[in-house]
Amino acid sequence: MAEKFLEVKNLKKYFKTKRGWLHAVDDIDFVINKGETLGLVGESGCGKSTTGRVVLRLLEATAGEILFNGEDVLKFNKQKMREMRQNAQIVFQDPFASLNPRMSVSQIIAEPLVINKTVSSKHEIQKKVASLMETVGLASRLENVYPHELDGGRRQRIGIARALALNPSFIVLDEPVSALDVSIQAQILNLMDELQDELGLTYLFVSHDLSVIKHVSDNIAVMYLGKIVEMSDYASIFVDPLHPYTKALLSAIPIPDVDIKRERIILEGDVPSPIAPPPGCRFYGRCYARKDICKDNTPELLPVSEGRSVACHIVHEQRKG
């Protein structure tokens, strides 16, 4: 039986603005089992990156619970959080912006070791850095070069090595390949997959690209305007998507075969403002299948089969019928 590693309950993150409260993450729930990957996918601005940062308490939650191995992270004091941070790391989207341009490769990777004083001598630090560089596929000759001298793929490998320095068990991957060329994307994704198998890592993989999510995730959560609208295992969602938004996202993935025809679902209208979002289903204004019930009644994320949940009145009505 799968062991729960991370459980998020009723998580909310609101930002105060001049126009009102911005609902970046609005009452979401999900579970990640130990050694597995949850892919969190959605359009830009849906709240997925904010979710990853709130889970690590890089941003403080407005409300909810974040349970790591049954303990609520939001109740941790400073000392407990320091211990937790060694066990949970993040790889950022832009490998250039997230690396200090004044530090060499070896200094960047060694920084967590120095700050947390997990090794006692310079020799041990050098040995650990060399081991981490080898683990992520960085040649030892690069230890004294600087980020601007390297390509995007090597920069991202530095970020991954830094995230692994303290031997974490959980990593948030915040669009780690979106800034890279396609061939380099494949290398980084394969590396993350290999590291997960070797080290028993658990991932929250944030991306706007379902074709990337497909290859790395055990389960997938689709997010729209601060809400999770569908959750599924990775296989089912590509064979039989349920929520109209998920269907639209899947229809936008290019197929490298001219003989395969697929109807493209074009979403009309604009994404509503996350400041005082509309009542009812937040996808209502852009949904091609909407009904009157969707306008004022907020759909709940309810199970429809084993391992699958969806927040859609239309789907629930069809299942009942």
Side-chain angles (χ1 to χ4, degrees), residues 28 30 37-49 51-52 173-175 204-217 219-234 237-238 243 245-250 253:
I28 66 171
F30 61 82
T37 300
L38 174 67
L40 188 59
V41 66
E43 293 173 292
S44 296
C46 71
K48 56 189 186 297
S49 290
T51 299
L173 301 165
D174 186 9
E175 305 225 29
L204 173 61
F205 196 108
V206 174
S207 179
H208 65 275
D209 190 341
L210 265 169
S211 60
V212 169
I213 287 287
K214 180 179 181 180
H215 294 291
V216 298
S217 304
N219 295 290
I220 295 173
V222 181
M223 200 166 182
Y224 184 80
L225 203 66
K227 292 276 194 182
I228 291 177
V229 296
E230 184 168 353
M231 291 198 71
S232 172
D233 61 275
Y234 81 96
I237 203 167
F238 287 91
H243 198 280
Y245 177 62
T246 308
K247 292 179 180 179
L249 287 180
L250 285 170
I253 299 176

Side-chain angles (χ1 to χ4, degrees), residues 129-278:
V129 168
S131 174
L132 287 164
M133 289 181 67
E134 182 180 358
T135 298
V136 300
L138 285 169
S140 58
R141 59 183 171 81
L142 301 176
E143 63 180 1
N144 293 317
V145 304
Y146 290 82
H148 72 272
E149 300 177 82
L150 300 172
D151 58 57
R154 287 192 178 93
R155 288 180 198 144
Q156 196 61 290
R157 289 174 190 268
I158 298 169
I160 295 168
R162 179 177 61 183
L164 294 173
L166 298 174
N167 302 315
S169 57
F170 175 69
I171 300 179
V172 173
L173 301 165
D174 186 9
E175 305 225 29
V177 297
S178 63
L180 306 178
D181 294 336
V182 174
S183 59
I184 305 300
Q185 285 186 13
Q187 294 176 21
I188 297 300
L189 292 175
N190 289 336
L191 172 63
M192 298 310 302
D193 194 37
E194 291 167 8
L195 291 172
Q196 185 172 40
D197 290 339
E198 291 173 15
L199 305 175
L201 297 169
T202 303
Y203 294 149
L204 173 61
F205 196 108
V206 174
S207 179
H208 65 275
D209 190 341
L210 265 169
S211 60
V212 169
I213 287 287
K214 180 179 181 180
H215 294 291
V216 298
S217 304
D218 296 285
N219 295 290
I220 295 173
V222 181
M223 200 166 182
Y224 184 80
L225 203 66
K227 292 276 194 182
I228 291 177
V229 296
E230 184 168 353
M231 291 198 71
S232 172
D233 61 275
Y234 81 96
S236 299
I237 203 167
F238 287 91
V239 174
D240 180 30
L242 298 176
H243 198 280
Y245 177 62
T246 308
K247 292 179 180 179
L249 287 180
L250 285 170
S251 77
I253 299 176
I255 300 176
D257 188 337
V258 293
D259 295 325
I260 298 177
K261 303 297 182 183
R262 181 170 61 192
E263 182 183 355
R264 175 71 191 276
I265 299 172
I266 306 297
L267 296 178
E268 299 179 355
D270 297 322
V271 179
S273 171
I275 300 173

